[in-house]
Amino acid sequence: MRIIESVSGMQSAADEFRASGRKIGLVPTMGYLHEGHLELMRTAAEQTDVVVTSIFVNPTQFGPGEDLERYPRDFDGDVRKAGGVGVGVIFAPTAEEMYPSGFQTRVRVERVTRHLCGLSRPVHFEGVTTVVCKLFHCVKPDVAVFGEKDFQQLVVIERMVTDLNMDIRIVGVPVQREPDGLAMSSRNAYLSPDERRSALSLFKSLELAKRLYKDGERSARMIRTAVLELISSHPFTSVDYVELCDSGSLESVEFLEGKTLLALAVNVGRTRLIDNCTLGS
C-alpha cells in the first residue's frame, strides 16, 4: 500500500492508474477508521481496480467551538485497517497542502444544504463540498463511495456532481451498526459508558417510527412527537432536530407519501450524533 501526502504525487499516481486502464475508487474519510468505513472500502474494491482512501481532518467543515482539535486520530491504526480490506493508496495531505497560502475558492451547494445539519452547522457543507471537490481533482476517481449515515452529505455530493457535470459515479452504502443498533461513528469514542447507553435512544426511536409507519401512521407530526418523547426520556440527550422530509429535496413533509427520510441529530453529553432511516418506498 502506498501512502501519498502531496497533491502532485496523488495526481501523478492517478494518471498512472488511468493510463494502465485501472478504474479508481475513492473513499473520503477523516480517519479514526471503524467497520463502517471499512465497508465503504470493501464496496469500492468490488467496483473498481484500485481503492484510494483519503485521511484528512478537514478544518473548513468545522464551525467555531466544534471538535476540530479533539477529533480522534489514529493514523497508524488506520493504515493497518485500510490495508486489511484491500486499499491500494492512502492519500493523507496536510491542511497546508490542501489549503495553501492565498487559498480563496469555495464550492457551495444551495437548497439541499438549508435543512437538517445545515441549520445548526452553517459552514459545514460548504467545507464538505469544497474539500470533496478538491479530493476529486486530486484522486481523479471513477467511483466515490459515501455512507448513508451522513444522508444529507450524500445528497449534497450527488447534487454537486450532477450540477458541475463531474464524470464520477457516487455510491451510497447503508448505515453500518454496532450489534446493539448504534450507528457506527468515529465520535462514538467520546461517549462515556452511561452516555453510550443513552445514545441507543436514536436507534430505538427509528425502530419506533418504523412500527408506527407499519401500523398505518402517516402524520409527520405524530411520528416526530413520538420520536422526541422517546429520545428525551433518556438522560444526557439534547435534540438538535428530528425531521421527516422528502428524501430527494430534504424539504419537510406534513404527511408521509412515498419515500420519506426520518433524520435525527442529538447531542448525547457533549457528543453530537446523527442517524436516519427511510419510511415508505
Side-chain angles (χ1 to χ4, degrees):
M1 182 170 60
R2 298 167 64 179
I3 298 175
I4 300 174
E5 297 180 347
S6 70
V7 168
S8 60
M10 186 66 250
Q11 290 174 325
S12 294
D15 289 340
E16 292 173 14
F17 297 142
R18 283 178 167 266
S20 64
R22 284 180 284 179
K23 184 179 292 187
I24 302 171
L26 170 64
V27 179
T29 83
M30 293 204 299
Y32 208 69
L33 304 179
H34 52 67
E35 182 60 31
H37 294 117
L38 301 185
E39 186 61 22
L40 304 184
M41 297 169 199
R42 294 187 191 102
T43 298
E46 291 170 357
Q47 301 188 25
T48 63
D49 303 306
V50 57
V51 177
V52 178
T53 291
S54 62
I55 296 178
F56 178 60
V57 181
N58 175 39
T60 66
Q61 68 191 66
F62 289 80
E66 294 187 348
D67 59 341
L68 172 61
E69 295 305 321
R70 71 186 187 105
Y71 192 85
R73 294 163 170 86
D74 180 15
F75 186 76
D76 291 341
D78 291 344
V79 171
R80 290 193 298 272
K81 291 174 183 177
V85 292
V87 170
V89 177
I90 287 181
F91 178 44
T94 63
E96 291 74 23
E97 181 73 8
M98 291 296 279
Y99 302 109
S101 176
F103 185 88
Q104 53 191 294
T105 301
R106 298 288 187 272
V107 178
R108 185 177 70 221
V109 175
E110 294 186 336
R111 290 194 297 275
V112 292
T113 63
R114 296 175 184 171
H115 314 287
L116 306 178
C117 290
L119 293 174
S120 55
R121 305 184 72 191
V123 304
H124 176 68
F125 286 113
E126 186 172 299
V128 169
T129 47
T130 298
V131 77
V132 170
C133 182
K134 286 177 67 65
L135 289 171
F136 286 171
H137 286 298
C138 295
V139 178
K140 308 181 185 182
D142 300 276
V143 176
V145 183
F146 295 84
E148 292 180 359
K149 181 178 76 72
D150 298 286
F151 195 93
Q152 185 175 19
Q153 173 180 273
L154 178 60
V155 170
V156 169
I157 296 302
E158 289 175 333
R159 185 76 265 160
M160 178 183 75
V161 166
T162 297
D163 289 352
L164 298 184
N165 306 111
M166 296 179 174
D167 188 18
I168 302 169
R169 182 164 59 89
I170 303 300
V171 174
V173 174
V175 180
Q176 302 298 300
R177 300 187 179 277
E178 303 288 353
D180 59 6
L182 183 67
M184 292 182 179
S185 170
S186 298
R187 288 187 169 97
N188 290 348
Y190 297 156
L191 299 168
S192 71
D194 288 340
E195 290 169 345
R196 175 68 172 69
R197 285 187 285 273
S198 284
L200 290 177
S201 62
L202 278 75
F203 177 65
K204 292 175 182 177
S205 71
L206 298 179
E207 293 297 291
L208 171 61
K210 290 176 183 177
R211 291 195 298 273
L212 291 171
Y213 184 87
K214 183 178 179 181
D215 291 342
E217 183 60 73
R218 296 295 183 270
S219 166
R221 182 180 63 83
M222 295 298 292
I223 294 174
R224 183 175 184 273
T225 297
V227 166
L228 280 168
E229 289 178 352
L230 191 155
I231 295 172
S232 298
S233 71
H234 289 68
F236 314 112
T237 60
S238 174
V239 174
D240 181 357
Y241 64 75
V242 171
E243 293 294 340
L244 289 114
C245 51
D246 181 272
S247 61
S249 69
L250 304 183
E251 297 280 351
S252 296
V253 300
E254 293 185 9
F255 294 95
L256 281 65
E257 298 176 340
K259 187 175 180 180
T260 302
L261 176 72
L262 169 57
L264 316 173
V266 180
N267 292 298
V268 181
R270 296 176 59 198
T271 305
R272 187 178 187 276
L273 302 176
I274 60 173
D275 207 340
N276 68 79
C277 69
T278 53
L279 304 173
S281 58

